[in-house]
Amino acid sequence: MLPALLTHPLRLDFRSGRFSCSSGLSADKNPDLKAAAAHTLSMAQKAALIVFAHQNPASFNAALRDAAVQELSAQGFRVTVSDLYAMNFRASATQDDIIGDLKNPDHFQYGDETMRAWTEGRLSDDITTEQRKLQEAQLIIFQFPLYWFSVPAVLKGWFDRVLTQGFAFSLQKIYSKGVFKDKKALLSFTTGAPESMFQSDGIDGDINVTLWPLQNGILNFCGFQVLAPQIFWDPAHCPAAVRAQMLEGWRARLRGLLTERPLTFAPRELFDLSFQGGFRLRPEVKEEQKAQPFGLSTGHHLGKPLPPDDQTRAPSAGGNRK
């Protein structure tokens, strides 16, 4: 097919949505050209992936997912949904994720074995399918209920199994130089408690601390531009009218999502990235930070008060958090 396409490039009629090539053949009547046309259109279109983790198709989380699909599709996105429960996506990371022989069957190390399998094209089909979806998307939304101050097990399994070493990160490609530095990611989730319980003086503790392992330890680690999370506080105990307002607020945000500034994280250039230096902040950086009233970030607090709203609000163009 490829030589023919190089000889007769495809043309798209935007009014009819039909492809043809310079030889006069219509893609509608030629199977090879039709397949190539579909591939060309999908590559030219913006793509979004929604990774959805809720068991109930009638849940508020499902309504949030559907709103995202509708709003993003209206903006011209090709939206793919990975409904993890409906897919029976396996949460456990085991040697079944590898096709063929193990490098060291007597001392199985998941990270080493899956990195090698990814390099050799021997990861299981369910993993490679999700990796392909992730590669094609410019925007990734994770939609889930907060379970035990984290994500549901099936979503944690998605992170564990899909974000394999080599594919999602390497020692050279992490944080601000990460593999997915050109992609945007967003956590959208519901809680079972009101916002007041997740304040710095609330019984559940500061939500910024809760979010740090997810947004820094997974998303920022892999290089994503992390957008501020969309948090729906305790919808199960809210009146229907309040839930409707939540949905409309989500729709409104989605319309301008790609124009938002991402959250800020300490860039890797601030650290001595050597085993001798312990991968710690450079001495001159720590010296400069002594005069600052807050730590660098929620995780790099340096024994100081945490930067306000560090994991929940992106800074404005002037440097202040919205």
Side-chain angles (χ1 to χ4, degrees):
M1 188 197 310
L2 184 59
L5 294 178
L6 292 175
T7 306
H8 304 292
L10 290 171
R11 293 194 301 263
L12 171 63
D13 184 328
F14 283 94
R15 288 174 297 179
S16 67
R18 294 185 176 182
F19 283 91
S20 62
C21 69
S22 57
S23 66
L25 290 174
S26 169
D28 293 336
K29 298 178 181 179
N30 185 294
D32 286 344
L33 287 178
K34 190 171 184 177
H39 177 72
T40 300
L41 184 60
S42 68
M43 292 300 289
Q45 195 174 21
K46 295 180 293 185
L49 171 63
I50 300 175
V51 183
F52 177 68
H54 199 289
Q55 311 92 326
N56 185 354
S59 65
F60 188 64
N61 270 271
L64 296 167
R65 171 204 63 195
D66 293 344
V69 171
Q70 292 164 10
E71 292 296 336
L72 293 174
S73 297
Q75 295 176 43
F77 276 89
R78 175 172 52 88
V79 184
T80 300
V81 176
S82 286
D83 187 337
L84 301 185
Y85 284 104
M87 293 160 53
N88 290 319
F89 189 82
R90 191 159 47 81
S92 55
T94 71
Q95 65 186 50
D96 292 337
D97 294 343
I98 298 148
I99 299 170
D101 296 333
L102 299 176
K103 179 181 180 180
N104 189 350
D106 296 327
H107 186 58
F108 178 66
Q109 293 185 329
Y110 186 83
D112 290 344
E113 294 287 357
T114 51
M115 178 176 64
R116 180 169 178 256
W118 172 77
T119 302
E120 298 173 356
R122 296 189 297 107
L123 287 172
S124 60
D125 290 343
D126 59 340
I127 292 176
T128 57
T129 296
E130 295 304 299
Q131 289 181 340
R132 193 176 308 114
K133 295 176 188 176
L134 183 53
Q135 281 181 315
E136 293 175 355
Q138 293 87 46
L139 172 66
I140 300 91
I141 297 175
F142 298 94
Q143 183 65 59
F144 60 95
L146 195 68
Y147 277 10
W148 292 110
F149 296 78
S150 187
V151 297
V154 70
L155 180 50
K156 180 56 165 62
W158 190 95
F159 289 133
D160 289 346
R161 300 179 63 226
V162 175
L163 301 180
T164 56
Q165 187 170 354
F167 169 74
F169 68 94
S170 67
L171 185 59
Q172 295 75 30
K173 295 182 178 181
I174 54 174
Y175 293 115
S176 52
K177 302 290 186 183
V179 172
F180 300 130
K181 58 185 173 62
D182 297 323
K183 299 180 185 293
K184 299 179 186 293
L186 164 69
L187 301 182
S188 173
F189 62 92
T190 58
T191 72
E195 184 176 7
S196 62
M197 293 175 66
F198 282 96
Q199 299 293 322
S200 60
D201 62 351
I203 192 169
D204 287 337
D206 192 337
I207 188 65
N208 290 279
V209 176
T210 302
L211 290 169
W212 178 258
L214 299 173
Q215 295 188 153
N216 180 73
I218 299 176
L219 301 181
N220 182 44
F221 181 85
C222 293
F224 287 106
Q225 299 173 45
V226 185
L227 300 180
Q230 183 74 19
I231 308 175
F232 301 91
W233 300 104
D234 200 17
H237 300 104
C238 291
V242 174
R243 290 196 297 274
Q245 290 175 355
M246 289 179 175
L247 267 173
E248 184 50 43
W250 178 222
R251 288 182 178 276
R253 185 184 177 193
L254 285 162
R255 293 174 196 133
L257 197 62
L258 292 186
T259 65
E260 291 184 7
R261 296 169 64 90
L263 299 173
T264 56
F265 296 89
R268 54 180 275 166
E269 289 78 12
L270 300 183
F271 298 85
D272 183 342
L273 300 179
S274 68
F275 288 100
Q276 183 179 5
F279 296 83
R280 301 180 67 181
L281 281 172
R282 296 181 181 278
E284 63 270 23
V285 175
K286 288 195 281 188
E287 188 63 31
E288 291 171 1
Q289 289 300 310
K290 286 181 179 180
Q292 301 302 318
F294 300 106
L296 266 174
S297 67
T298 297
H300 310 107
H301 53 74
L302 304 177
K304 298 180 180 183
L306 303 186
D309 303 321
D310 176 58
Q311 291 296 294
T312 54
R313 299 187 184 214
S316 64
N320 297 320
R321 298 189 186 279
K322 297 178 181 178

